[in-house]
Every structure is written in structure tokens, then in C-alpha cells.
Amino acid sequence: MTLLRLAAALAVVIAISLLWAGLGDSHRQKAEPSAAAYESLPTAPAPALRVGRPERLSSSRFSSRWTTVRRPTLARSRPSASASVVAELSTRAPEGTPNALSVIATRADAQGRVWVEVRLPVLPNGMRGWVPRHSLGAYQTLDTRLVVDRSALRATLYRDGKPIFAAPVGVGTSYWPTPAGRFIVRSELTRYASPFYGPVAFGTSARSAVLTDWPDGGFVGIHGTNEPELIPGRVSHGCVRMRNSDIVRLAELMPVGTPILIR
Amino acid sequence: MHEQRDFDRFLHAVDVDGAIAETSHQRQLVLSRRGLLAGALAGPGALLLGGSEARAASGLSANDVGILNYALVLEYLQASFYTEAERSGALSGKTAQAAQVVGATERAHVKAFQKLLGAKAVKRPLFDFQGVTEAQQAFLKTAVAFEDLAVAAYKGQAPKLQSNAVLAAAVGIHSVEARHAAWVRELFGVTPAVNAFDKPATKQSINHIVASTHFIVAHPKMKARSRPQYTG
């Protein structure tokens, strides 16, 4: 009996083993065609677009922002509707172009209203004020900067911190000095009939502190000339004069909105 | 042709001063000269496209170029939004970090689209975000809207692409936009993933939404012919 039981148990074990092995075979038999099917799938197409690494913002050391006045507004001494008014701003510069302003900083007040600190095109030169964001237009960013050196009688245009243009200039006499400070190029005039201003004249936010009764308020321009022999020199009423070939070249390189440092 | 009409409608809705259409017109000129371009890139066609840019965009159908330019305008919108927010310095904490990371990605998308489209790429419009980049909550609210919009737009256009290679690229970008959407949603305090199925958005609805923001504005005309009145 014991032998019989042992034989029966062995038979059961063998049967189970065979069955297990058989199942394994059947699994393998089923898996093999699947694997082959996968291999026969077409390769995915390579994307037409190669997206590179995320692009971190470059240093803003040499960049500046400017905007235009979208609706008439008041500039205030602080970012608050109750702060004192320091200037009124219209939508147009005297030339008829949109009134361009350099953006210095922005701040949201306790109510979430955004205020923008700008350089003002008013006397005394160098005034700043806070303007409601909703009265301004789009921000534009530039990496150009013009430096006018009154001692060296030279203007240099920088792009991204590197000089890309330099030319001798005429500046104001001691009676009508060219004002020092930080300003903005706010318009570019061309195709007018006035040899005195040469072929191109840039409007700036700088104002003569002396010629206050000049038409349009005595704004200082950067322009060509019909007297190139006077350049370089202290010859103007405050404007920055250049030889015509230089002002034409500058116009190709310097966009409106470029900040100006006159020193 | 259908996609071309759709893209023209999109331009009409968002291109306030014709700056985008200007490049689009160039693109159409290029497309109308396909015969000239077909033989070789040298010759009259090369004058329009020129060198590697021409090669970059060659091989794409007019249908796919239209869809890619549509996507490029949306990428311009997003990249400019995050760039302005980062430059404003008004954001803080995790929101500022997200703006930096997402902005860097959107700028990479713009660059890739421009490279692929070459001379056929539309110009970057001027954006006036009206202060939403300069206040944290307004920024987040707008970011959620933009990312959800981008995800829905990609989903809406992907099935219309003719090139599988362009489709593969679009799918790769679509999932990135979806991650952005989830991230900014979490930061804004809304559920990142609500639905089991996201519906695509039609171009018409995207056009309507983008145009209604008035974020795309005309370039101010800063040049004039008036006689100078400067001090001289």
C-alpha cells in the first residue's frame, strides 16, 4: 500500500510538473509571436523640430525698457493716487510722435494697482515720477545706449555694452549748455526740408534749462548739420550736432527708445 | 487651403498693425514661388528665402506651415509674457521660480519654431500685458489661462498636421505645456488635473480669446516727417 501511495504521489507530482512545464511552453509560445509583432512595428518618426535647452534670460545689465503714454495722465511723487503731482503727461511728444518714456521700476500698491516709475521729459532735467500702469503702453526692451561726452566732444553708441559707433560732436556753448543727465531718444525725424538740422534729427527728452521759451519748450535734439566744419566744437544752442554722414550711420544703428547719458 | 484660411482668420483677429501679416505675406510669396523653389534653392527663390533658412523650412506643406506659424504666435505670446514677468522683478517665491523655468522653456520653443520655419516664420508681435506681469496674483491667473489655452490649441491642431515628423514634435511640446499648466494651476490654488478627458479648442475660440485680451498691440510709430523744433 505504501508503495502504491508513493507511486501515486509521484505520478501526481510528475503530472503537475508536466502540466506546469506545458503551461510554460504555451506561455512562451504565445509570447514569442507578440515579441515578433512588436519588433515589426514601424519606428516612430524623428520629430521635425529640435527643441534645445531651456533659454535662461541673458543678463539685463545692458538692457533698458521704454514705453509710451497711452492716455493722458499725471505723474506722482510716490506710487499712490494720493501722492503729490509732479508732472502732467500727454500722449504725444511735440513732434507728434507717441510720448516715449524710460521705465525705471514698477511696483504694485496695497490694492494690487501697478505703478511705473519713469523719467520725465520736464524741467528740471532728471525728474522722475510714478504713473499708473494702465495709462502706459507696451514695454519694449533695448540693449543700446548712447553716451555723449561733452568734454571729449564725442558720442558713442553701445550695444550690449560694446561700442558699435563713435563720432565727434558739437555741443552747446557755455551760454546755452547741453544739459547733463539721463534721457531717452523719443523720436526720429526724417525727410523734412531744413539743411540746418541735416538729414536726420532725433528728439530727446532733454531740455535746455536756458532756452525755455524756445518753440515746443526747448527740447534738445541730436541731428546733422549744414556746418560740418564746426564739428567737433562747442557751437550749438544745446543740441548735439553731428556730421551728416555720421548721423545717417547712427540712424541705422540706434532705435527710438535708446537711453542717453550726457556727461 | 483650409488651414491657410484658418491662419488668415487668426491673423485678422490678432494682428493689429499688420506686422505679422507682413511676414505672412512674404511666406505666401514664397509659397507661390514653389515652382521656382522646386528645382533648386539657388535662383529667384533663394533671393526670398536664402541659404540655410530656406532649407530649414523646405519639405513642409503649406498646411503644416500655417499650423506651425499659428503655434509660433502662441509661443511668442507665452515667451514674452514670462520674459516680461521675470524682467519686472515683481514676482516672488515659487511663482518667480516657475516664471523663470517656464519662461526659459517657452523661449526654447520659440527658437525651435523659428529655426524650423526659417524665412516663413511670422514676426514677433508687440505685446502689452497691461500690468499682469507685475503683480503676483494677476500674473498667476493669466499664466493659468495661457497654459490651458496652449494645451487646448496644440490638441486642436495636432490631428490636422500632415507630417508625422511635425506631429511628433507637436506632441512633445504639448505634454510640456500640459506640465506647465498643472504647475501654474497648483501655484494659483486650482486643481491641476480635473478632467479624465481634455477637449481640444478650435482656432476660432483661441482667436476670440487671444483677441479679447488686447495683449497684441500695434507698434507705436516713432518716426515722423515733421520739421524739427529743437534748440539747434
Side-chain angles (χ1 to χ4, degrees):
Chain A
M1 281 303 285
T2 310
L3 274 174
L4 273 175
R5 279 184 184 168
L6 272 172
L10 191 61
V12 169
V13 167
I14 289 168
I16 289 171
S17 300
L18 285 172
L19 186 62
W20 187 253
L23 279 173
D25 282 349
S26 83
H27 272 165
R28 274 197 295 278
Q29 279 165 6
K30 281 181 184 172
E32 277 165 8
S34 300
Y38 288 137
E39 281 166 16
S40 69
L41 283 175
T43 313
L49 199 62
R50 188 173 297 164
V51 180
R53 288 184 172 188
E55 303 243 319
R56 292 273 179 198
L57 266 190
S58 55
S59 162
S60 58
R61 196 170 142 212
F62 300 114
S63 70
S64 63
R65 289 190 297 171
W66 68 282
T67 185
T68 54
V69 180
R70 189 164 61 174
R71 53 178 68 121
T73 190
L74 301 173
R76 297 182 182 274
S77 58
R78 287 180 294 107
S80 164
S82 58
S84 59
V85 174
V86 292
E88 288 182 27
L89 292 171
S90 58
T91 58
R92 295 276 155 187
E95 301 93 318
T97 51
N99 197 357
L101 302 168
S102 283
V103 172
I104 302 169
T106 63
R107 192 178 298 171
D109 65 17
Q111 287 75 43
R113 286 175 303 206
V114 177
W115 292 81
V116 183
E117 188 181 19
V118 295
R119 295 188 196 285
L120 299 169
V122 299
L123 288 172
N125 285 307
M127 285 270 288
R128 300 173 173 198
W130 290 90
V131 179
R133 176 67 183 89
H134 63 77
S135 58
L136 300 174
Y139 292 149
Q140 299 196 56
T141 304
L142 293 174
D143 58 6
T144 48
R145 182 169 60 105
L146 184 72
V147 176
V148 178
D149 187 330
R150 295 178 302 173
S151 301
L153 298 174
R154 198 161 184 79
T156 306
L157 181 70
Y158 296 85
R159 182 184 292 146
D160 210 14
K162 298 182 184 74
I164 56 167
F165 164 91
V169 295
V171 297
T173 65
S174 56
Y175 301 110
W176 302 298
T178 301
R182 294 182 183 277
F183 308 101
I184 183 177
V185 175
R186 59 178 193 168
S187 62
E188 182 184 331
L189 307 182
T190 54
R191 299 186 190 181
Y192 46 78
S194 175
F196 178 81
Y197 291 101
V200 180
F202 288 102
T204 80
S205 57
R207 296 178 79 154
S208 169
V210 184
L211 297 171
T212 52
D213 57 350
W214 196 270
D216 288 343
F219 280 96
V220 167
I222 301 169
H223 55 78
T225 182
N226 57 353
E227 296 176 299
E229 68 279 5
L230 299 181
I231 293 172
R234 299 175 202 289
V235 295
S236 78
H237 297 90
C239 280
V240 176
R241 295 186 196 172
M242 284 185 194
R243 293 180 185 128
N244 288 347
S245 56
D246 288 334
I247 196 74
V248 167
R249 200 153 57 93
L250 182 63
E252 290 169 359
L253 299 169
M254 185 172 75
V256 171
T258 295
I260 309 167
L261 171 64
I262 301 178
R263 61 186 183 200
Chain B
M1 283 312 284
H2 180 67
E3 283 310 313
Q4 182 59 54
R5 267 203 315 278
D6 271 0
F7 185 66
D8 289 344
R9 283 197 201 105
F10 173 67
L11 281 186
H12 182 72
V14 300
D15 190 15
V16 285
D17 63 349
I20 307 175
E22 190 183 319
T23 314
S24 178
H25 178 60
Q26 286 174 355
R27 176 169 59 78
Q28 285 172 6
L29 284 176
V30 169
L31 292 174
S32 68
R33 286 165 171 75
R34 268 181 301 186
L36 294 171
L37 290 167
L41 289 170
L47 293 175
L48 280 162
L49 286 175
S52 61
E53 288 182 336
R55 282 189 293 278
S58 65
L60 294 173
S61 67
N63 172 80
D64 288 3
V65 168
I67 292 173
L68 286 167
N69 265 318
Y70 167 70
L72 177 57
V73 174
L74 295 178
E75 293 290 352
Y76 279 143
L77 176 73
Q78 290 181 299
S80 300
F81 171 71
Y82 291 107
T83 300
E84 186 174 300
E86 192 175 340
R87 286 211 172 107
S88 80
L91 308 179
S92 60
K94 289 181 177 177
T95 301
Q97 188 201 0
Q100 275 183 17
V101 174
V102 177
T105 309
E106 303 297 3
R107 287 188 289 275
H109 290 168
V110 165
K111 199 171 177 182
F113 276 112
Q114 286 175 327
K115 194 172 177 186
L116 177 66
L117 286 162
K120 296 177 187 177
V122 291
K123 275 187 187 172
R124 183 189 293 271
L126 180 63
F127 296 101
D128 180 1
F129 293 111
Q130 300 158 28
V132 298
T133 56
E134 294 151 273
Q136 186 120 329
Q137 282 307 100
F139 165 81
L140 279 174
K141 190 175 175 183
T142 312
V144 169
F146 278 179
E147 296 299 344
D148 283 353
L149 192 76
V151 174
Y154 273 98
K155 214 185 329 290
Q157 296 308 309
K160 298 179 184 174
L161 287 164
Q162 291 170 340
S163 157
N164 282 338
V166 177
L167 175 63
V171 169
I173 292 176
H174 171 260
S175 60
V176 172
E177 300 293 352
R179 288 168 198 266
H180 294 169
W183 193 1
V184 294
R185 279 175 155 265
E186 174 76 11
L187 288 170
F188 189 52
V190 292
T191 310
V194 186
N195 305 320
F197 181 82
D198 284 341
K199 287 180 184 171
T202 63
K203 246 181 203 168
Q204 287 76 6
S205 64
I206 300 282
N207 296 353
H208 177 72
I209 294 165
V210 172
S212 68
T213 63
H214 302 291
F215 285 158
I216 299 181
V217 297
H219 281 85
K221 296 188 188 315
M222 308 308 291
K223 295 184 180 182
R225 293 184 181 183
S226 54
R227 188 179 184 281
Q229 296 286 355
Y230 310 131
T231 54

